[in-house]
């Protein structure tokens, strides 16, 4: 299809230069439903971006939309801070009954603010408060948010530079397979902890993504995660799993750490926890860590009641019977087969690797600029995909979990064509 870039005058003259996604996808979008977006000129786009993982159940999901409309029409509470409301009670009861109890997870639930970085900041603050230490260990190529505490445990040099001040009290360690299997897991980390001359202050916590999304779809092995959990236990460090993008079923199970069989001390959730794309985040932690004083960490918009409504509806509709996990894993196999065919077609020279789990996948290109070219061509052909990795060298696939097999095939065919036409 031929797309004429729209006249973006008001965006260019009034909106800040910090805008980014609109530069990659020069269209003015008007409506969306399911796996598709539509611009104001009538062009259709298959969405393999899903609001950066905030729309796991697709655009304007009819089940969630109905629950939201009903709630608004009866004048349900919209803004509630941390006051008790019927919407929050219903969400907490559903979260406990559908997710926590069946998995024997003991967590308390904290509403720290509406975004993922709010959840990470609260997790870091709590870990330091509990342990009485400042240092936090993170991992190479990690991404945890754009506020200062979150940036301090983020690896990307470009994003860190935006802070404008020194980012302190965070120490990076090698993520799984950082040395291509040539170095024993946690050899450096263990040595620094043992050596009184290493300069590493005893950490309060370690924060990790089980799959690094912004870092390039780097998948941690279950055995690596188990070894990390064991290391944290032995060395009296809390384990924080950042499940903001990879949780809510993205990898198959609701929590991405389930496959590894670990129980983190603290878990952060956001993006699709609200179900409908409404801002919401959670910080979960073991009961013995709940040493907050009332009001010690708060936020004006931590009580987004419409998000409680759609979140509860999403859990009821998609997570009460185990079918969503099975479906996501099956769709993941479909993606893997298609990407393997693309890899085989273009040999090992153009494409370095494909990797992923469930419905998050990445394709890394040897020519690092190629990923951007593929993403651009895919947009011209009617598919939204973004890039990730420290040099944007990975094409990242993040379709809605509700995508149909036919929609998935359509998008994967477009992607294969984009790769072919940018060779």
């Amino acid at each position: 299809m031929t797309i004429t870039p729209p006249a973006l005058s008001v965006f260019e003259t009034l909106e800040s230069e910090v805008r980014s996604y609109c530069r990659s996808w020069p269209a003015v979008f008007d409506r969306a439903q399911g796996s598709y977006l539509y611009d104001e000129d009538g062009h259709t786009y298959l969405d393999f971006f899903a609001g950066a993982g905030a729309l796991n159940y697709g655009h304007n999901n009819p089940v969630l939309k109905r629950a939201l409309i009903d709630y608004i029409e009866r004048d349900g509470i919209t803004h509630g801070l941390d006051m008790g409301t019927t919407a929050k009670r219903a969400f907490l009861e559903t979260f406990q009954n559908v997710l926590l109890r069946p998995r024997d997870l003991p967590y308390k639930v904290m509403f720290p603010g509406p975004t993922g970085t709010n959840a990470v900041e609260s997790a870091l603050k709590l870990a330091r408060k509990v342990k009485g230490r400042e240092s936090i260990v993170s991992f190479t190529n990690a991404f945890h948010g754009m506020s200062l505490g979150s940036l301090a445990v983020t690896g990307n040099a470009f994003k860190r530079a935006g802070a404008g001040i020194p980012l302190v009290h965070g120490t990076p360690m090698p993520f799984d397979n950082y040395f291509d299997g040539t170095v024993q897991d946690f050899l450096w980390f263990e040595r620094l902890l043992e050596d009184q001359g290493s300069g590493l202050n005893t950490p309060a916590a370690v924060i990790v993504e089980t799959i690094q999304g912004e870092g390039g779809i780097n998948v941690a092995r279950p055995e690596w995660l188990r070894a990390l959990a064991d290391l944290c236990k032995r060395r009296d460090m809390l384990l924080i799993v950042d499940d903001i993008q990879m949780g809510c079923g993205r990898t198959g199970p609701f929590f991405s750490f389930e496959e590894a069989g670990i129980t983190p001390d603290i878990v952060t959730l956001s993006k699709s926890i609200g179900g409908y794309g409404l801002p919401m985040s959670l910080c979960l932690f073991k009961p013995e860590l709940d040493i907050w004083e009332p009001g010690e960490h708060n936020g004006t918009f931590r009580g987004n009641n419409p998000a409680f409504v759609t979140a509860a509806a999403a859990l009821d509709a998609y997570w009460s019977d185990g079918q969503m996990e099975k479906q996501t894993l099956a769709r993941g196999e479909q993606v893997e087969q298609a990407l393997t065919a693309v890899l085989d077609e273009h040999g090992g020279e153009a494409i370095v690797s494909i990797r992923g789990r469930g419905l998050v996948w990445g394709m890394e290109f040897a020519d690092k600029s190629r990923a951007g070219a593929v993403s651009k061509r895919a947009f011209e052909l009617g598919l939204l995909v973004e890039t990730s990795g420290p040099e944007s060298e990975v094409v990242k696939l993040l379709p809605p979990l509700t995508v149909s097999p036919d929609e998935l095939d359509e998008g994967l065919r477009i992607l294969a064509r984009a790769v072919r036409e940018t060779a």
Side-chain angles (χ1 to χ4, degrees), residues 188 191-201:
W188 176 241
R191 180 64 178 138
L192 290 180
L193 289 171
E194 292 169 356
D195 185 357
Q196 295 300 306
S198 70
L200 174 65
N201 295 329

Side-chain angles (χ1 to χ4, degrees), residues 67-399:
L68 179 59
I69 290 172
D70 289 346
Y71 183 75
I72 292 172
E73 286 186 336
R74 72 169 185 81
D75 291 331
I77 298 291
T78 296
H79 179 271
L81 293 162
D82 67 357
M83 295 183 290
T85 66
T86 55
K88 183 164 75 169
R89 181 176 61 200
F91 167 72
L92 286 169
E93 290 174 346
T94 303
F95 192 81
Q96 183 177 52
N97 294 331
V98 174
L99 294 180
L100 298 183
R101 281 179 177 159
R103 292 163 177 78
D104 197 25
L105 294 173
Y107 299 130
K108 298 288 289 292
V109 179
M110 175 182 178
F111 300 100
T115 72
T117 199
N118 295 139
V120 170
E121 294 284 357
S122 66
L124 300 179
K125 185 188 288 188
L126 180 60
R128 288 171 169 136
K129 180 178 173 66
V130 168
K131 292 299 182 184
R133 309 178 204 137
E134 297 176 353
S135 178
I136 304 288
V137 166
S138 58
F139 291 95
T140 51
N141 291 314
F143 178 77
H144 296 290
M146 298 298 283
S147 51
L148 292 180
S150 301
L151 279 176
V153 291
T154 286
N156 187 282
F158 174 73
K159 292 181 172 64
R160 288 175 63 89
I165 62 172
L167 297 170
V168 297
H169 309 307
T171 303
M173 292 291 167
F175 191 71
D176 190 16
N177 206 37
Y178 188 73
F179 294 107
D180 299 319
T182 61
V183 176
Q184 178 185 336
D185 292 341
F186 307 114
L187 177 66
W188 176 241
F189 195 178
E190 290 262 26
R191 180 64 178 138
L192 290 180
L193 289 171
E194 292 169 356
D195 185 357
Q196 295 300 306
S198 70
L200 174 65
N201 295 329
T202 303
V206 176
I207 185 168
V208 68
E209 303 155 273
T210 64
I211 299 177
Q212 295 180 327
E214 297 304 308
I217 317 302
N218 305 312
V219 183
R221 294 166 296 142
E223 55 267 33
W224 186 86
L225 292 169
R226 286 193 289 269
L228 176 60
D230 178 67
L231 174 60
C232 287
K233 185 176 181 180
R234 286 188 287 107
R235 295 290 183 173
D236 189 32
M237 303 177 294
L238 297 178
L239 176 60
I240 305 169
V241 167
D242 181 341
D243 232 3
I244 287 166
Q245 188 168 89
M246 296 304 156
C248 302
R250 176 54 56 181
T251 68
F254 187 87
F255 296 102
S256 69
F257 55 81
E258 290 183 53
E259 183 185 18
I262 62 174
T263 303
D265 298 294
I266 304 175
V267 179
T268 59
L269 290 174
S270 187
K271 291 192 182 285
S272 276
I273 188 60
Y276 201 71
L278 298 175
M280 178 177 172
S281 76
L282 305 178
C283 185
L284 314 177
F285 38 82
K286 293 179 177 178
E288 61 269 25
L289 305 181
D290 193 10
I291 62 171
W292 293 112
E293 295 291 334
E296 191 174 7
H297 186 96
N298 55 30
T300 302
F301 293 100
R302 65 194 184 277
N304 185 353
N305 282 259
F308 296 154
V309 171
T310 53
L315 296 181
D316 274 332
Y318 295 103
W319 293 100
S320 58
D321 60 4
Q323 291 306 305
M324 177 57 80
E325 178 177 348
K326 295 176 183 177
Q327 175 178 299
T328 298
L329 293 174
R331 300 284 193 272
E333 292 176 1
Q334 185 179 347
V335 175
E336 184 175 16
Q337 290 172 6
L339 294 187
T340 299
V342 175
L343 178 64
D344 292 343
E345 178 182 348
H346 295 272
E349 293 185 2
I351 300 174
V352 174
S353 68
I354 61 168
R355 49 188 183 259
R357 195 167 78 224
L359 276 175
V360 53
W361 286 85
M363 178 181 291
E364 181 179 352
F365 289 88
D367 176 356
K368 298 183 189 303
S369 65
R370 180 86 177 277
V374 169
S375 177
K376 179 180 179 182
R377 183 57 182 147
F379 171 75
E380 294 168 349
L381 296 170
L383 176 70
L384 298 189
V385 290
E386 69 167 330
T387 60
S388 69
E391 298 179 73
S392 298
E393 72 276 18
V394 177
V395 170
K396 177 182 179 183
L397 305 183
L398 213 65

